Amino acid sequence: MAADAPPGVNVRCRPGEDAGRAAGAPLGVDAIVAAVGAVDAVLDLGCGGGRLTIELARAGARATGIDTHAGRLGQARDRARAAGVQIGLIEADMNVQLPFADAAFAAVT
C-alpha cells in the first residue's frame, strides 16, 4: 500500500508505476504519459478532477482539460495549484464544436 494512500485504501500499480504517485493519479497514467511523449500540447477530454491533466503537465506538456462539470473543474484547479503546475481548464461539452483551432493539440487523451 502506498504510504500516502488514505487509510483502508489498497493502491495497486502495474510494474514500473510509482505507488506513491498512483495514490493520487489514475491507474495507467505512466503508460498514457509515455504514449503521449514529449509533445507540446495535449487535450484531456473529460478531465474530471484533473489527475491525468496534471501528470501530463508534470511531464512537460502544455496540458488543457475540458469537462462539463464545473465542480470537478474546481477540483482540478485546486489539485493543480497544490501540485505547482499550470494547466488550462475549460468547461465545455465535447458533443459540440470545441473552442480550439484544428490541429491545436499534438495529442488528445
Side-chain angles (χ1 to χ4, degrees):
M1 182 166 73
D4 55 353
V9 174
N10 184 11
V11 177
R12 290 179 278 163
C13 297
R14 293 185 175 123
E17 286 187 321
D18 179 351
R21 190 172 84 189
L27 185 63
V29 71
D30 290 330
I32 295 168
V33 170
V36 168
V39 300
D40 177 50
V42 179
L43 178 63
D44 185 13
L45 294 173
C47 69
R51 295 178 297 174
L52 176 58
T53 316
I54 290 165
E55 294 304 323
L56 292 165
R58 282 183 176 157
R62 182 173 43 84
T64 301
I66 69 167
D67 203 280
T68 59
H69 194 280
R72 299 288 293 172
L73 290 170
Q75 290 174 339
R77 237 176 245 102
D78 293 343
R79 283 184 174 136
R81 191 175 305 116
V85 297
Q86 291 185 350
I87 58 175
L89 295 167
I90 298 172
E91 186 175 351
D93 184 344
M94 65 187 114
N95 292 312
V96 298
Q97 185 171 350
L98 297 175
F100 308 111
D102 288 349
F105 298 96
V108 178
T109 65

